[in-house]
Amino acid sequence: MITSKIIAAGKAVPAKIVTNDDLSRLVDTSDEWIKSRTGIEERRISQNETTTDLAYEASKAAFDKYKIDPATIDLIIVATISPDNFMPSTASLLQERLGLNNRHVMAFDINAACTGLVYGIQIAHKFIQTGSAKRALVVGSETLSRTLNWEDRSTCVIFGDGAGAVVLEASDRGIIADYTNSLGDPDLNLAIPALPLKSPFADEMTCSPSCMTMNGAEIFKFASFAVKDAIVHVLEKSGLTMDDIKFIVPHQANMRIVSKISKVMHIPVEKFYVNIKNYGNTSSASIGIALDELLDSGQVHPGDKLILVGFGGGLTWGAILVEF
Ligand code: UT7
């Protein structure tokens, strides 16, 4: 049966490293609090890199490392909650930067918050399976730093900027199971407001603040359910067990979420690839950045099976079980 295989991965992060100590000079926090509550030690924050720049650099890194000609790409999906423009899409800008503007390429953005890369891979997989695309570039790219309230210690210490890219193509082995889900969240536990209604015809509206807001405790609870639910579903769909899985690459949100899942599901914590200490939570970019580093580490061999699992605003969640 035709499936799709991940044939390349790449990442890009801004040059500027911001440590926990740097943040303790901005808000009432400490290296000890951030490290012990989240596992984060530092994150990259953009000084001038845009979401499109990072998406381009991550894509180029994947193409160069795995010797892929960008001209062979016929589908570009960018997952982002911090695009440079509402229009054109980041994917269209990326298409132009990659020199693909006169090619037959479908390019669009998706927003599934921190589950964006998982949603994007699932969508690309379906296009490939149906023959609508041959080679797809899926990128999660964020400059969340511009959405943060830098006076709010409960959010500004958590997030970072970066991009992770993967390339998929048709193959007889690769994605074995995929699962995504979404739960409308009436309480907006994780939100970044967009432009307020403003026109001569609008009812009076108070301008909403444009920064990210998060109910950390509720999201923690949701994550504990969602990661388990997604892993259980892809294992069930594939007929495999956790013993068949070499690594789990989770959305890098909080080391305590990983420890909790490891304990509740009796999965050795070493099975989770975690790099949150270096980058913080980069939303849709985090799984791609982690996957790229894991592949670079030489620990994944042909035939190894991985689970990529994400959760985030929406509320959204999902997983991909893929053989390398
Ligand atoms: O991509 C998905 C996005 N989000 C997530 O995955 C977030 C999931 N949630 C979490 O990771 C955790 O809930 C947080 C890391 C956000 C917060 O950790 P927590 O253990 O749930 O802390 P808390 O919100 O219950 O706050 C405990 C205390 C509070 O003080 P009081 O009321 O006990 O005096 C907070 O005001 O810690 C305080 N606090 C801080 N203290 C120092 C909150 N943020 C900070 C901070 N530095 N940065």
Side-chain angles (χ1 to χ4, degrees):
M1 197 184 77
I2 291 278
T3 184
S4 39
K5 190 178 179 187
I6 296 179
I7 58 164
K11 71 163 194 298
V13 290
K16 172 81 179 160
I17 296 174
V18 175
T19 64
N20 293 343
D21 285 336
D22 292 334
L23 292 179
S24 70
R25 287 187 278 277
L26 286 180
V27 288
D28 181 14
T29 191
S30 66
D31 179 49
E32 200 282 325
W33 192 96
I34 301 171
K35 253 198 308 220
S36 63
R37 298 287 181 124
T38 68
I40 301 167
E41 294 179 14
E42 58 187 42
R43 72 285 294 140
R44 302 300 182 101
I45 298 294
S46 177
Q47 290 173 295
N48 48 39
E49 298 94 340
T50 64
T51 295
T52 311
D53 292 337
L54 293 170
Y56 171 71
E57 293 300 337
S59 308
K60 194 170 168 328
F63 293 147
D64 290 351
K65 200 166 9 173
Y66 292 87
K67 307 205 180 333
I68 290 169
D69 178 0
T72 59
I73 298 293
D74 55 3
L75 170 64
I76 302 176
I77 301 175
V78 176
T80 184
I81 52 171
S82 50
D84 299 322
N85 306 281
F86 287 136
M87 179 178 68
S89 69
T90 316
S92 296
L93 295 169
L94 179 59
Q95 173 186 5
E96 193 277 328
R97 291 279 287 275
L98 291 169
L100 302 179
N101 29 344
N102 287 319
R103 303 231 164 219
H104 186 173
V105 174
M106 187 185 199
F108 59 93
D109 287 2
I110 59 164
N111 173 345
C114 307
T115 324
L117 197 81
V118 169
Y119 267 58
I121 290 174
Q122 189 189 43
I123 295 166
H125 173 51
K126 304 300 174 192
F127 270 80
I128 288 171
Q129 269 192 321
T130 55
S132 300
K134 288 194 172 57
R135 250 188 192 176
L137 170 66
V138 184
V139 190
S141 187
E142 306 287 3
T143 47
L144 287 173
S145 56
R146 60 184 150 142
T147 74
L148 297 173
N149 174 355
W150 288 93
E151 291 174 358
D152 174 10
R153 66 178 182 174
S154 68
T155 49
C156 76
V157 305
I158 308 276
F159 295 94
D161 299 335
V166 295
V167 179
L168 291 106
E169 73 173 14
S171 173
D172 53 1
R173 66 190 176 88
I175 294 180
I176 297 171
D178 54 273
Y179 168 78
T180 47
N181 209 333
S182 176
L183 183 76
D185 173 13
D187 299 323
L188 291 181
N189 280 300
L190 190 47
I192 305 172
L195 299 177
L197 269 184
K198 203 178 78 177
S199 80
F201 312 102
D203 290 346
E204 199 183 328
M205 289 269 308
T206 34
C207 280
S208 49
S210 59
C211 292
M212 182 193 294
T213 53
M214 178 173 81
N215 180 341
E218 279 305 312
I219 298 295
F220 197 104
K221 252 192 276 170
F222 162 68
S224 308
F225 149 77
V227 174
K228 182 176 173 198
D229 181 67
I231 292 175
V232 165
H233 270 91
V234 286
L235 284 177
E236 262 175 28
K237 277 178 130 181
S238 64
L240 299 171
T241 71
M242 192 44 73
D243 290 341
D244 300 307
I245 305 302
K246 179 89 177 274
F247 285 108
I248 298 170
V249 183
H251 167 47
Q252 313 281 315
N254 188 326
M255 188 55 210
R256 279 163 52 220
I257 295 173
V258 171
S259 307
K260 188 166 176 198
I261 296 293
S262 151
K263 206 163 143 203
V264 170
M265 297 189 76
H266 308 289
I267 304 169
V269 77
E270 304 75 49
K271 234 179 216 194
F272 292 85
Y273 185 81
V274 182
N275 63 1
I276 189 169
K277 80 178 166 68
N278 299 326
Y279 305 111
N281 179 341
T282 57
S283 190
S284 68
S286 86
I287 293 175
I289 293 174
L291 179 64
D292 177 54
E293 287 195 356
L294 175 60
L295 296 179
D296 276 358
S297 75
Q299 297 177 79
V300 177
H301 305 289
D304 284 346
K305 298 178 186 71
L306 271 56
I307 293 177
L308 316 180
V309 55
F311 63 90
L315 301 166
T316 56
W317 71 104
I320 303 286
L321 196 163
V322 58
E323 179 177 345
F324 276 80

